[in-house]
Amino acid sequence: MGRRGWILGTVVATLLAGPAGAQQDIGVLPEQARLVPEEEFTIRTLPEPSPHWVYVLDVAFDNLVASRVNIFDADTGDFVGVLHSGYVPNVLLAPDRSAVYIVETYWSHGTRGKREDLVTVFDSRTLEAEAEIVLPKGRALVVSKQPVAALSDDARFLLSFNLSPATSVSLVDLGAQRYVGEIESPGCSLVYPTGDRSFSMLCPDGSLVDVSFREDGSATTADNEPFFDSETDPVFEHAARDSASRAWFFVSYDGRLYEVAYDEKGRTKPVDSWSIVGKAEAEEGWRPGGWQLVGWHDGLKRLFVLMHKGPKWSHKWPGEEVWVIDPATNGVERRIALEEPSLSLFLTRDADPLLVTLTETGVLGVYDPQTGEHLRSVEGVGVTPFLLDGFRP
Amino acid sequence: MRRSSRLDRWVEEATRRIAWRTSRRSLLARLGAVLAGGALLPLLPVDRSGRFRQAHAQAFAEQAQTTDDTACDYWRYCAMDGYLCTCCNGAVNACPAGSEPSPTSWVGSCINPADGQVYLVAYRDCCGKGVCGRCPCLSTEGEMPIYRPQLSNDIDWCFGAKSMVYHCTAAGIVGRA
Amino acid sequence: MRTAVLAALLLSAAALAASVAAAGEVRRVGEVQEDYARNCQGCHRADGLGAYGSVPRIRGFAGLFTHLPEGREYLIRVPGVVWAMLDDARLARLMNWMLEAYSRDELAPDFRPYTVEEIREARRRPLANVGTVRARLIAELQRRGLLPPGEDGLVSAKRVR
C-alpha cells in the first residue's frame, strides 16, 4: 500500500468514527461502496513434485547469509518455485516427496546478533515452513557440501555434521520433530548413511569409522584400516551411493574409484578399488574435479563423474566431460562432452532419467545419460549455485 | 589395535610433506573468480613430484613480490585462501572497520624473497560482516578435503568470534622459522 | 585498478626498504615453538587462551588433567594430538614443552614428562567420545577442588572484546 493511501485511510477512518458517543455501525457498508472483485487472489499449491524437478542450491557467495533453493523443471526449463535459506545450508529431500529439509544457520540481525542453527521442514507442495527444529550444538559452517548432512535410510533421522573445530554429529528425530542429541567422533568428519541406524565418517588417515546409533542417541563406533592414501591421493567429499547394494563410491583426486560395501550392521567390508583414468588419458592430464562431481543412477547402475584435463591440485576445476562408468566391468563406458564446463552433476532418480549439469555461472545442462545427447540448457538458475538434487519418483 | 604401523607411516609421510604448510583453510574464494569470468586457473606453477609443499613455498617465493599486499603474489600469501583484507580497507594484519579478527587462525610458512628467510605466518579470518568480495586469492595447491580440516579451504574459520559470518582474510607474522 | 597499480609502483621502493628492515627485527622461534605454531596455535592461540566456547584454553589449565591418571592419558588421546603431523618423539617433546610453558603451575606434583612410548601407544587409541570423557574429568577436578564450579576451560577461554 502506498504511504499516502494509508494516511488518507487513517484520516477518513478517524472522521467516520465521528465524535465520541456518536458510534456508527462500520460493519455494514453502504450499498454504493460495495465492490465485488472480479478476481479472487489465491495461493498456488504445487502438484506432486516431478522427479525431473531440480532443486538448485544457490549459496549466494556475494551475500552468504541469504542463500536460496531455486526449483526448475528440467523437462521444460520452467521456474517452479523458491525456498529461502540461511548461511551455507544443506538441503535434503524426503523419500516420500512430502518435505524439503533445510539445515541452516541464521543470525538474529543478519550478519550479527544471536546465532541459531536449525532444521527447517518445508512442505514440498506449499513451500511453506511447517516446522523448525533447533540444533543446540550448532553445525559445521562449510561451503555447502552434500555429506555435511544426511538422512538415515528410513528417513526417520536427520544427521548433521558439527565442526567446532572438534567433530561430532547432531541427531534429529524427524518423526517426533525434535533434536535427540550429539554423537561424538574420534576426529572424523562428514556423514555417509549406511543403514536405518548407522553411518560412516571419513578420518584424517584415510579410514572410515562406522557408527551405529539408537533412537535415544546413544552410539557405538568401530574403526577400520585406511582404504586410501589421505596424503598423496585423497578422496573427494562428494560420493555416490547405490541404493540397492548400499555401497558407497568414492573418487580420488587422481581418479581412483573406491567401492565401499557394507554388511547389514553397517560395518565396512573390504574395499575394492581401481583407476578410472587409463594410462593414455592420464598422460593427457584427465582427472576428476568440480564440486558435486559424482552421481549414480540405480536403474542404469552406472556412475557418472565430471572430468577435466588439468595438473595435480586442479581438483576444483569444472568438468569438460562426464565419464559414464560401469562398476560391474570396471570400465569407462561412455564419455559425454559437455556444452559448458560444469561444477556439479545430478542424475534424476526416475526410470527415464536425465543427466543434469551445473556451471559456475548458473546454467543447467540437460542431457540424455544413455546417449549423451544434449537436450537443453536452462540459464539463470542462480548467482553462485553449487549443488543439485531431486525427489524420487 | 588398528592404526599401529599405518598411523606411524601416515604420520611420517605427513610430517615430511607438511613441512612447509600446516594449517590453512578458509572460505572458498570462488565468487571473485566467477565475476572475473575466468576458469579457476592455477595461481602458481605446480610441482608433480611428491614434495609438493616445499616446492610450493620455494616456487611461490621465486615469483613473489614484497611491495603490493593487495595482490595474491605478495610474499606472505603463500598459504592464503580467501578475500584479501588489504583490498577491503583493512590491512595485512588488520581487519576492516566493523569486522573482528577470529581468535583462531591457521599457520603457514612463507619465504620472504627480500631476505631469503622463512617466516611463520598466521592467516586470520575477519568475521562479523558479509563477504567482502574483493581480491579473491584461491590457491588449491595442497588443498585437502574437510576431513583434513587444517588443510581444507572450505571451512569458515571464525571459531570463537562473536559472529561467524566470514568477511576477509589477513596474514600476520608469527616469527622467523 | 590502474590507480592501485600506480600507487603500488610509487610505494614499492619505500615498502621494499621497510620490508627488509623489518625482517631483521623479527625474532626466530625455536623448533618446538615452531611445532606448536604449526600444530596447535591455530586454535589454541600463541597465548594459549583458546577461543571462547569452542577451543579450550591451555594456559593455566591443561596441566590440571595430569592430576588424574585418565586425564594424563586424555591429553594425548584427543583428536588434535593424535592426528598432529609430527612423529611420536617430536610430539612427546611438544606436549612436555607445552605443559611446562603454558601450565606449569597446574601440573600434578608428581608429574613425569610423557615418554615417546606412551605417546605412541596412546595415538593408537584416539578417543571416540572426547566430550563425554572431558566432562567426566572436569567434574572430577571440580569435586577435588582443583577447579571452581562452572569452570571448564571453555567459558574462560579467549573472548573477543
Side-chain angles (χ1 to χ4, degrees):
Chain A
M1 191 204 282
R3 186 172 174 79
R4 220 187 319 166
W6 181 80
I7 293 169
L8 184 65
T10 310
V11 171
V12 170
T14 310
L15 290 175
L16 283 177
Q23 297 272 339
Q24 293 179 11
D25 184 357
I26 58 167
V28 181
L29 277 173
E31 186 65 37
Q32 63 272 29
R34 283 185 201 166
L35 278 173
V36 181
E38 290 290 330
E39 293 179 334
E40 287 293 337
F41 258 76
T42 59
I43 304 172
R44 290 289 299 276
T45 298
L46 298 176
E48 190 77 9
S50 156
H52 285 184
W53 287 0
V54 181
Y55 292 70
V56 184
L57 172 58
D58 184 354
V59 297
F61 237 99
D62 55 338
N63 191 21
L64 283 166
V65 294
S67 66
R68 53 196 282 161
V69 180
N70 295 319
I71 312 167
F72 283 86
D73 187 334
D75 285 330
T76 61
D78 290 340
F79 173 75
V80 174
V82 61
L83 296 163
H84 291 281
S85 42
Y87 193 75
V88 294
N90 282 89
V91 180
L92 297 162
L93 303 178
D96 68 1
R97 302 188 300 279
S98 65
V100 179
Y101 305 110
I102 300 188
V103 195
E104 53 186 348
T105 300
Y106 289 98
W107 285 265
S108 58
H109 296 245
T111 55
R112 59 195 165 84
K114 189 177 180 299
R115 174 175 162 182
E116 192 168 49
D117 302 89
L118 64 152
V119 177
T120 306
V121 182
F122 286 93
D123 183 290
S124 65
R125 296 184 59 192
T126 65
L127 302 188
E128 284 193 54
E130 299 276 290
E132 294 176 347
I133 307 159
V134 172
L135 298 171
K137 296 287 180 179
R139 52 186 289 268
L141 299 184
V142 175
V143 182
S144 302
K145 301 192 185 207
Q146 284 182 332
V148 170
L151 299 177
S152 62
D153 279 359
D154 63 358
R156 158 112 185 252
F157 289 96
L158 186 149
L159 302 147
S160 173
F161 174 56
N162 301 321
L163 180 71
S164 70
T167 66
S168 66
V169 171
S170 287
L171 183 66
V172 171
D173 184 338
L174 292 170
Q177 293 195 340
R178 70 181 186 95
Y179 168 80
V180 178
E182 185 185 21
I183 297 172
E184 297 179 89
S185 162
C188 305
S189 295
L190 304 168
V191 189
Y192 301 93
T194 57
D196 289 346
R197 300 290 175 269
S198 62
F199 60 91
S200 288
M201 303 177 84
L202 279 169
C203 305
D205 67 344
S207 67
L208 285 162
V209 62
D210 300 330
V211 183
S212 300
F213 64 93
R214 285 176 287 276
E215 293 177 9
D216 63 1
S218 60
T220 54
T221 58
D223 294 339
N224 298 288
E225 286 292 309
F227 71 95
F228 65 93
D229 185 336
S230 66
E231 221 9 77
T232 60
D233 189 24
V235 298
F236 287 91
E237 296 106 331
H238 280 99
R241 189 170 180 223
D242 179 344
S243 315
S245 75
R246 295 183 165 185
W248 276 101
F249 293 99
F250 291 93
V251 179
S252 76
Y253 282 15
D254 288 342
R256 194 149 195 92
L257 174 64
Y258 298 87
E259 182 174 356
V260 183
Y262 287 85
D263 67 17
E264 284 125 40
K265 290 178 179 167
R267 284 305 316 272
T268 309
K269 291 194 211 163
V271 176
D272 199 18
S273 84
W274 55 283
S275 178
I276 61 172
V277 184
K279 201 158 176 260
E281 291 99 347
E283 275 166 17
E284 290 175 343
W286 284 102
R287 59 181 69 246
W291 198 258
Q292 180 186 348
L293 77 164
V294 288
W296 170 264
H297 190 271
D298 284 336
L300 301 175
K301 297 203 177 299
R302 295 292 183 275
L303 192 74
F304 297 76
V305 186
L306 281 168
M307 304 289 294
H308 67 274
K309 280 194 273 191
K312 181 93 179 168
W313 307 115
S314 63
H315 52 281
K316 280 177 172 160
W317 291 17
E320 302 156 38
E321 295 186 1
V322 171
W323 289 12
V324 186
I325 290 147
D326 179 358
T329 62
N330 289 359
V332 177
E333 192 176 72
R334 186 179 302 106
R335 289 167 55 166
I336 300 172
L338 298 178
E339 294 285 303
E340 291 183 74
S342 296
L343 208 60
S344 292
L345 65 70
F346 167 67
L347 272 295
T348 66
R349 302 172 193 275
D350 57 322
D352 192 17
L354 300 172
L355 164 66
V356 185
T357 59
L358 174 68
T359 73
E360 287 172 283
T361 51
V363 181
L364 288 185
V366 183
Y367 299 82
D368 182 332
Q370 288 167 287
T371 64
E373 185 194 351
H374 176 251
L375 303 173
R376 67 192 62 83
S377 288
V378 185
E379 292 184 8
V381 301
V383 180
T384 55
F386 274 68
L387 298 175
L388 304 172
D389 207 349
F391 278 108
R392 297 180 180 286
Chain B
M1 308 298 279
R2 82 156 180 150
R3 289 186 176 130
S4 46
S5 57
R6 292 267 192 172
L7 179 76
D8 295 343
R9 275 208 304 279
W10 182 78
V11 166
E12 190 187 315
E13 185 101 319
T15 309
R16 201 150 38 81
R17 287 177 204 280
I18 218 73
W20 286 96
R21 185 174 197 173
T22 298
S23 352
R24 87 187 182 128
R25 40 53 336 75
S26 175
L27 280 176
L28 175 74
R30 166 158 281 125
L31 181 69
V34 171
L35 292 181
L40 299 170
L41 294 171
L43 299 168
L44 303 158
V46 171
D47 177 70
R48 281 173 190 271
S49 74
R51 297 176 175 267
F52 171 74
R53 288 182 183 84
Q54 290 91 325
H56 171 64
Q58 278 152 9
F60 189 93
E62 279 164 22
Q63 307 222 337
Q65 43 82 23
T66 56
T67 51
D68 180 7
D69 62 13
T70 64
C72 291
D73 63 355
Y74 183 60
W75 73 274
R76 285 191 196 189
Y77 298 156
C78 76
M80 167 62 77
D81 269 289
Y83 297 99
L84 298 181
C85 290
T86 48
C87 295
C88 308
N89 207 15
V92 71
N93 58 353
C95 287
S99 65
E100 62 171 15
S102 169
T104 53
S105 62
W106 73 103
V107 178
S109 49
C110 304
I111 299 165
N112 184 345
D115 61 10
Q117 301 276 333
V118 178
Y119 290 83
L120 293 172
V121 179
Y123 299 91
R124 181 159 297 177
D125 285 347
C126 295
C127 315
K129 262 186 193 298
V131 165
C132 159
R134 294 163 196 277
C135 301
C137 289
L138 165 68
S139 143
T140 57
E141 287 83 0
E143 196 234 357
M144 289 284 176
I146 61 176
Y147 53 82
R148 309 266 326 259
Q150 292 177 312
L151 300 166
S152 171
N153 285 2
D154 301 329
I155 298 167
D156 177 342
W157 212 259
C158 288
F159 297 115
K162 265 192 312 187
S163 156
M164 276 189 74
V165 179
Y166 169 78
H167 184 52
C168 64
T169 306
I173 302 286
V174 174
R176 265 194 307 147
Chain C
M1 186 65 142
R2 215 177 277 169
T3 321
V5 172
L6 181 64
L9 285 172
L10 289 172
L11 286 169
S12 62
L16 182 61
S19 169
V20 173
E25 296 158 15
V26 175
R27 76 185 186 290
R28 185 181 285 277
V29 300
E31 206 178 55
V32 69
Q33 286 95 334
E34 188 176 334
D35 284 348
Y36 178 81
R38 290 174 178 283
N39 288 278
C40 320
Q41 179 178 322
C43 293
H44 291 286
R45 295 174 52 93
D47 59 15
L49 288 180
Y52 175 74
S54 58
V55 181
R57 68 185 166 108
I58 294 172
R59 185 161 128 200
F61 183 78
L64 287 170
F65 287 108
T66 64
H67 288 257
L68 311 171
E70 196 189 358
R72 178 186 171 91
E73 194 184 80
Y74 166 82
L75 285 176
I76 52 175
R77 288 181 67 201
V78 297
V81 172
V82 166
W83 301 118
M85 287 172 278
L86 293 170
D87 63 32
D88 297 331
R90 270 173 81 167
L91 185 56
R93 183 179 67 171
L94 172 57
M95 288 303 292
N96 292 327
W97 173 84
M98 189 193 78
L99 286 170
E100 188 67 27
Y102 288 96
S103 194
R104 182 197 307 207
D105 294 345
E106 290 73 32
L107 287 171
D110 60 347
F111 173 73
R112 289 166 294 99
Y114 287 107
T115 64
V116 178
E117 292 68 34
E118 201 178 0
I119 295 278
R120 179 178 303 133
E121 197 276 328
R123 287 181 107 180
R124 291 171 190 167
R125 300 180 293 118
L127 275 177
N129 52 346
V130 192
T132 305
V133 172
R134 188 172 196 281
R136 189 165 67 226
L137 293 170
I138 294 288
E140 177 60 17
L141 290 171
Q142 287 171 346
R143 199 187 61 78
R144 294 189 184 194
L146 290 163
L147 263 184
E151 162 63 319
D152 64 357
L154 282 166
V155 295
S156 56
K158 173 77 177 175
R159 201 188 265 271
V160 177
R161 266 180 288 179

